[in-house]
């Protein structure tokens, strides 16, 4: 029985990652994240990866979202300071115009650096949990499996066996199959239309 060429190895899709990253920013940015300061979500969620890992004809499709925790901390601190400045302004004050006791009262209501660091960590871990994934603090990314599948080299299909309901919603369903082509070191998962193709290169 003829079996096609093995596609075992680690693959990545820069074009797929770019689309996913832009979608993630659009979704997360639909609610204004920073109200008082001019920080942008792109400073915190810096890039995405879309990887396909195939071993012995078993495939795992995963997404990585890179999160800059230092930039997140800075943005939250600036946001907090800007919020206090704005609220004082509404009352006709500046922080500099307050007496020492008033300054102490204002400062007592600010989150400390340690509390802000905890808030950053909690927020990223919550994001990972919502995606059904985990946060790798050392690597600086949230990772979640999108689906698992079996590679059929004879039919040149990737048959989906398990999915992450949260991340895969609207993308794939359990039991679906992707046709794939493997040519000149490029692996392509065929979409319904050509523009839906996912193109992978070796990592």
């Amino acid at each position: 029985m003829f079996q096609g060429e093995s596609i075992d190895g680690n693959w990545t899709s820069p074009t797929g990652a770019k689309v996913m990253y832009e979608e993630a920013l659009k979704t997360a940015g639909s609610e204004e994240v920073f109200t008082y300061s001019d920080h942008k979500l792109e400073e915190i969620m810096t890039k995405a990866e879309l990887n396909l890992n195939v071993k012995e004809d078993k495939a795992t499709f995963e997404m990585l979202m890179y999160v800059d925790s230092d930039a997140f901390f800075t943005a939250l601190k600036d946001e907090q300071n800007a919020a206090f400045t704005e609220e004082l302004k509404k009352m006709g004050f500046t922080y500099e115009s307050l007496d020492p006791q008033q300054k102490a009262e204002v400062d007592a209501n600010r989150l400390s650096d340690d509390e802000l660091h905890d808030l950053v960590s909690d927020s990223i871990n919550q994001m990972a949990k919502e995606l059904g994934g985990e946060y790798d603090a050392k690597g600086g990314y949230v990772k979640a499996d999108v689906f698992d599948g079996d590679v059929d080299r004879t039919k040149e299909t990737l048959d989906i066996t398990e999915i992450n309901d949260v991340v895969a919603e609207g993308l794939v369903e359990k039991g679906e199959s992707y046709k794939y082509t493997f040519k000149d070191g490029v692996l392509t998962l065929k979409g319904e239309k050509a523009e839906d193709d996912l193109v992978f290169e070796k990592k």
Side-chain angles (χ1 to χ4, degrees):
M1 183 172 151
F2 170 75
Q3 277 213 322
E5 196 174 344
S6 169
I7 58 167
D8 279 15
N10 298 320
W11 301 85
T12 191
S13 175
T15 49
K18 186 171 181 281
V19 171
M20 189 186 71
Y21 176 66
E22 286 166 359
E23 279 298 316
L25 285 180
K26 209 188 302 175
T27 304
S30 56
E31 300 164 28
E32 201 55 53
V33 183
F34 299 105
T35 309
Y36 299 96
S37 61
D38 59 0
H39 286 284
K40 299 277 188 290
L41 204 53
E42 292 94 317
E43 298 167 38
I44 296 158
M45 288 165 56
T46 57
K47 64 173 181 173
E49 268 184 40
L50 217 46
N51 299 327
L52 182 65
N53 304 314
V54 185
K55 189 176 180 183
E56 294 171 359
D57 294 339
K58 296 282 182 192
T60 301
F61 190 79
E62 65 182 19
M63 58 151 276
L64 276 64
M65 186 64 69
Y66 283 81
V67 184
D68 187 330
S69 57
D70 291 337
F72 197 177
F73 168 80
T74 300
L76 283 180
K77 190 164 184 171
D78 289 350
E79 177 75 3
Q80 175 174 251
N81 290 338
F84 274 94
T85 300
E86 186 67 27
E87 291 307 312
L88 286 170
K89 191 176 165 187
K90 283 179 188 170
M91 295 184 280
F93 297 104
T94 64
Y95 181 76
E96 288 70 26
S97 71
L98 303 176
D99 65 36
Q101 187 184 342
Q102 290 170 320
K103 280 182 179 176
E105 284 172 14
V106 169
D107 291 341
N109 284 306
R110 294 182 201 265
L111 292 177
S112 69
D113 283 3
D114 283 347
E115 288 170 322
L116 284 171
H117 278 299
D118 286 344
L119 181 56
V120 166
S121 183
D122 290 347
S123 299
I124 299 172
N125 279 305
Q126 182 61 32
M127 172 185 164
K129 190 178 172 186
E130 285 172 6
L131 291 171
E134 55 192 29
Y135 173 42
D136 183 324
K138 196 174 174 186
Y141 55 76
V142 169
K143 181 170 88 168
D145 288 349
V146 182
F147 65 75
D148 294 331
D150 293 331
V151 176
D152 186 325
R153 284 193 263 159
T154 307
K155 294 179 185 168
E156 293 193 330
T157 58
L158 180 59
D159 305 318
I160 296 161
T161 53
E162 293 293 331
I163 66 165
N164 175 336
D165 290 328
V166 183
V167 186
E169 187 183 2
L171 289 173
V172 291
E173 288 180 21
K174 193 173 171 178
E176 276 188 338
S177 290
Y178 270 108
K179 287 288 286 179
Y180 72 80
T181 60
F182 180 42
K183 190 179 179 188
D184 299 330
V186 174
L187 176 65
T188 306
L189 297 187
K190 308 299 280 182
E192 283 183 21
K193 302 187 289 291
E195 60 263 32
D196 297 331
D197 288 357
L198 273 175
V199 180
F200 290 85
E201 58 193 45
K202 268 278 169 74
K203 278 192 85 172

